[in-house]
Amino acid sequence: MNINQDKLVKIALNAKVDHPRVSGFYVGYDGKGRMPIGTGGVVYSHAIGDSCMNIAGDHIEPGVSMANAGPKENHALETFSCVGNEVKILNGEQKGKTGYVSGTHGGVDHTMACFPPDVIENMDGTETFLIKAYGQGLKLLDHPDVHMMNLDPDLLAAMPVREENGALSWPVVTIVPAHLMGSGLGSQTMMEGDYDIMTQDEAANKQYGIDKLRFGDFVAIQDHDCTYGPHYLRGAMSIGVIVHSDSFTSGHGPGVCVVATTKKEGRIVPRVEADANLKTYMEGIERL
């Protein structure tokens, strides 16, 4: 695919494991108070490719939740990191081991990374990281109506995105209708964080395959333009990757980190494929 690769900037970012926090009970959409395991830390039990639904937790982030202690520095980490970027461990028993960015999570302002299972198992939560941020500013030179963000060019090259009749045929596991998108609407940018699929309607979850979503799944969001923040626009189409688990909270659910969006009808055509998952495509990148 013809991209502006020679114009893109690759820079170093630093982060640490961000410890989980608890502030007390909160009430779910069903009126029940809960204190579930939530965001932060190193998650040993769930990884990219695993189900993100029906977990005994809330907004679970697979792998490692990273942050920088400085607020502005952390915003830079979350904004400039792209899905697929290389992440290197700088200290501890797993020093030198590498993984990749799996997404960003707004509100809690985390950047997530995944590593091989043996590396994750031997992490202790005190690790620091180097992220080679690369991809913001990516343009598809032959598709000016498609706005790209949050995607490493090497990952894009490894994905079976096809150019067909002036449009992009993009692999996804399902197509989510606009009315099911919730928390995160009204954000000024999707270059930092995500927004959620609402899962409070069980019939809709089954109808659209949301009940089968996995961490790392690519999904299409119908009639949503996310160029400068997500909003309804008939005919628009956005593509994103699932970055955190379902939630008990009203208006929340699996988080979508947007990687491509267009205002123009027919410029992105989603193609449903069962294996349209980050784990599938990252295996095709030689540097990993």
Side-chain angles (χ1 to χ4, degrees):
M1 197 171 295
N2 190 18
I3 69 171
N4 62 335
Q5 190 155 3
D6 61 326
K7 302 293 193 298
L8 296 177
V9 178
K10 182 182 289 189
I11 63 171
L13 302 172
N14 293 111
K16 294 182 178 181
V17 177
D18 197 45
H19 200 281
R21 298 172 177 84
V22 173
S23 58
F25 287 94
Y26 63 93
V27 178
Y29 73 93
D30 53 4
K32 296 179 180 179
R34 295 178 177 86
M35 195 182 293
I37 293 176
T39 58
V42 177
V43 174
Y44 302 108
S45 56
H46 293 78
I48 298 298
D50 293 342
S51 174
C52 68
M53 305 295 291
N54 298 314
I55 294 174
D58 194 285
H59 285 78
I60 298 301
E61 301 163 337
V64 181
S65 301
M66 304 183 297
N68 191 297
K72 290 185 178 180
E73 289 82 354
N74 194 49
H75 283 301
L77 169 68
E78 193 180 3
T79 301
F80 299 150
S81 294
C82 290
V83 177
N85 284 167
E86 181 180 333
V87 181
K88 181 182 289 187
I89 302 174
L90 299 180
N91 67 323
E93 184 180 340
Q94 300 303 302
K95 180 178 179 180
K97 301 294 178 63
T98 59
Y100 61 87
V101 171
S102 58
T104 57
H105 185 181
V108 70
D109 296 331
H110 281 162
T111 301
M112 287 81 77
C114 68
F115 294 86
D118 61 320
V119 176
I120 288 287
E121 186 60 33
N122 288 288
M123 293 177 68
D124 62 15
T126 63
E127 287 80 8
T128 58
F129 306 93
L130 166 69
I131 300 93
K132 294 184 177 179
Y134 181 50
Q136 298 294 30
L138 173 67
K139 296 183 183 299
L140 307 181
L141 301 180
D142 298 325
H143 302 273
D145 292 327
V146 176
H147 185 76
M148 301 295 295
M149 64 186 89
N150 306 323
L151 189 66
D152 188 298
D154 292 339
L155 174 55
L156 176 62
M159 296 180 66
V161 178
R162 302 171 186 163
E163 297 175 290
E164 298 178 352
N165 302 318
L168 295 179
S169 174
W170 201 296
V172 297
V173 300
T174 192
I175 301 169
V176 181
H179 66 269
L180 289 183
M181 298 309 297
S183 178
L185 289 173
S187 301
Q188 294 182 350
T189 178
M190 293 309 297
M191 287 176 61
E192 182 179 17
D194 66 313
Y195 72 134
D196 289 7
I197 303 170
M198 294 187 289
T199 55
Q200 287 75 58
D201 187 316
E202 292 185 7
N205 294 344
K206 293 180 180 179
Q207 179 180 355
Y208 297 105
I210 295 167
D211 59 334
K212 295 181 174 61
L213 284 178
R214 302 162 298 181
F215 296 112
D217 275 347
F218 282 84
V219 299
I221 304 170
Q222 197 168 28
D223 297 322
H224 266 213
D225 167 39
C226 293
T227 306
Y228 297 108
H231 57 268
Y232 178 81
L233 180 66
R234 183 174 297 179
M237 187 70 70
S238 293
I239 303 291
V241 61
I242 300 297
V243 296
H244 67 67
S245 77
D246 195 13
S247 171
F248 300 108
T249 309
S250 180
H252 288 254
V256 180
C257 177
V258 174
V259 299
T261 188
T262 181
K263 295 180 170 72
K264 302 290 187 179
E265 187 170 6
R267 296 298 196 271
I268 296 177
V269 180
R271 184 178 80 248
V272 175
E273 295 184 355
D275 64 346
N277 187 275
L278 185 57
K279 183 178 180 179
T280 304
Y281 306 137
M282 289 303 298
E283 291 175 352
I285 297 180
E286 291 184 3
R287 62 176 166 82
L288 296 177

